[in-house]
Amino acid sequence: MKKYGSCLVSVLCATALILSVGLRDAAAAGSKIGKEGTSFSVGLEFNTFTYKEVDDDGSTFMKESGSLIGLNGTFTAWLSDQFVLKAFGSFASGDLKYEGGIQTSSGAMIPLELDTPNTIYNLLGTAGVKIPGEQFDFTPYAGLAWRLLIDELPSQYGYTREQTYIYLPVGCQVSFMTGSDWGIEARAEYDVFLSGENYSHGAALGGGITMQQDKGAGYSIAVAFNSPEFAFGQGGTASVTIEPFIQIWDIDKSKETDGFLEPKNDSSMYGLRGMLRF
């Protein structure tokens, strides 16, 4: 992670800007996104998730991959035309295909391939400031977030891994309206890894082991397409949001605890969210 610096935030912001410019041909000039008030959205998400553990030389010795499905919700509060607070929460779960091996107490490696239940929780809060433009609005933001991965390995040598990250999301969003009154929000984010903990427990480990992780980083890109508002309920309005997204994590190996450590691991999530915004 040493080769990644603060300049990565600028690169990701430029990525969001390029995404918006590429879509801007259909945009109407002079649009402004955001107004005082609050909104709430809730919906489903579907994604393909891959988790790999790698040696120091970069070779993969364990891999889990498959599809997850879950729910998400977002609360947005515009304190003024410029200042916005946002809270986001999600969870997704499903069975992944495990390809790797189990090390016995004698040190022998037993090849193993099976389905493993996985669940991922995310909680995130950010504050941003909108910078209006002639054809798009630019909103840099920062906040604090928590992520929990629960990975169950159901075998006689299996165990459960609970992997927790605390991180600082720093990113930017470019927003504009199209000629058909659809809104587009292109977002790029660099996740500064603050701390991590890996708690592995089960009969195969003789109890529980906690390993600290303190180096890593995450990255994400998303493009949200927001429909025009329509009548919903008794005098209310709503809109639909479709959001493809990518989320990447690159975490260094943990500190050693009682002879155990969590290897360097990489994970990627490619997904689609569908939400109803009120």
Side-chain angles (χ1 to χ4, degrees):
M1 297 286 84
K2 295 183 176 65
K3 63 180 179 180
Y4 300 107
S6 61
C7 65
L8 188 53
V9 177
S10 300
V11 173
L12 290 175
C13 288
T15 301
L17 183 59
I18 291 170
L19 285 171
S20 69
V21 171
L23 296 167
R24 193 179 58 186
D25 292 341
S31 66
K32 296 291 179 285
I33 309 297
K35 58 184 180 180
E36 290 189 51
T38 61
S39 66
F40 177 75
S41 66
V42 62
L44 296 172
E45 66 177 64
F46 306 86
N47 65 71
T48 297
F49 180 70
T50 301
Y51 177 92
K52 298 179 180 179
E53 292 184 350
V54 299
D55 285 321
D56 292 336
D57 61 4
S59 60
T60 299
F61 63 86
M62 188 277 271
K63 176 182 177 181
E64 290 180 289
S65 59
S67 299
L68 305 177
I69 182 173
L71 300 173
N72 64 75
T74 304
F75 176 77
T76 304
W78 285 92
L79 306 183
S80 68
D81 286 344
Q82 289 184 287
F83 297 97
V84 60
L85 301 177
K86 185 174 291 188
F88 172 82
S90 71
F91 82 90
S93 63
D95 287 346
L96 304 181
K97 181 181 179 181
Y98 176 96
E99 300 173 85
I102 295 293
Q103 186 174 32
T104 67
S105 57
S106 64
M109 289 298 297
I110 301 175
L112 191 63
E113 185 174 310
L114 75 166
D115 291 336
T116 57
N118 275 250
T119 304
I120 300 176
Y121 299 90
N122 280 288
L123 289 176
L124 182 147
T126 61
V129 179
K130 184 184 70 174
I131 303 172
E134 288 300 318
Q135 298 189 6
F136 55 81
D137 296 333
F138 178 77
T139 307
Y141 64 87
L144 187 65
W146 169 87
R147 175 185 184 271
L148 171 64
L149 165 67
I150 301 177
D151 179 13
E152 301 176 46
L153 191 62
S155 78
Q156 60 177 322
Y157 302 110
Y159 60 94
T160 297
R161 178 174 63 239
E162 299 180 20
Q163 199 174 65
T164 304
Y165 300 161
I166 303 295
Y167 62 96
L168 175 69
V170 179
C172 52
Q173 177 175 290
V174 178
S175 308
F176 58 89
M177 298 293 293
T178 70
S180 59
D181 291 332
W182 278 71
I184 297 179
E185 299 170 348
R187 185 177 70 254
E189 180 179 295
Y190 174 54
D191 296 320
V192 182
F193 190 79
L194 300 179
S195 67
E197 182 177 279
N198 192 294
Y199 175 57
S200 296
H201 56 94
L205 298 175
I209 300 170
T210 300
M211 294 160 283
Q212 300 297 325
Q213 296 175 291
D214 56 11
K215 294 181 180 180
Y219 323 88
S220 65
I221 295 176
V223 181
F225 300 89
N226 303 311
S227 77
E229 291 187 343
F230 52 87
F232 187 87
Q234 297 182 346
T237 61
S239 63
V240 174
T241 298
I242 304 298
E243 183 182 81
F245 67 95
I246 300 172
Q247 189 174 53
I248 307 292
W249 282 101
D250 184 3
I251 307 298
D252 286 353
K253 63 184 178 182
S254 72
K255 296 178 180 178
E256 187 172 322
T257 301
D258 298 330
F260 291 88
L261 61 81
E262 181 68 11
K264 173 179 170 60
N265 56 83
D266 305 321
S267 62
S268 60
M269 181 183 289
Y270 301 86
L272 181 68
R273 298 185 178 110
M275 295 165 279
L276 189 63
R277 179 185 294 183
F278 305 95

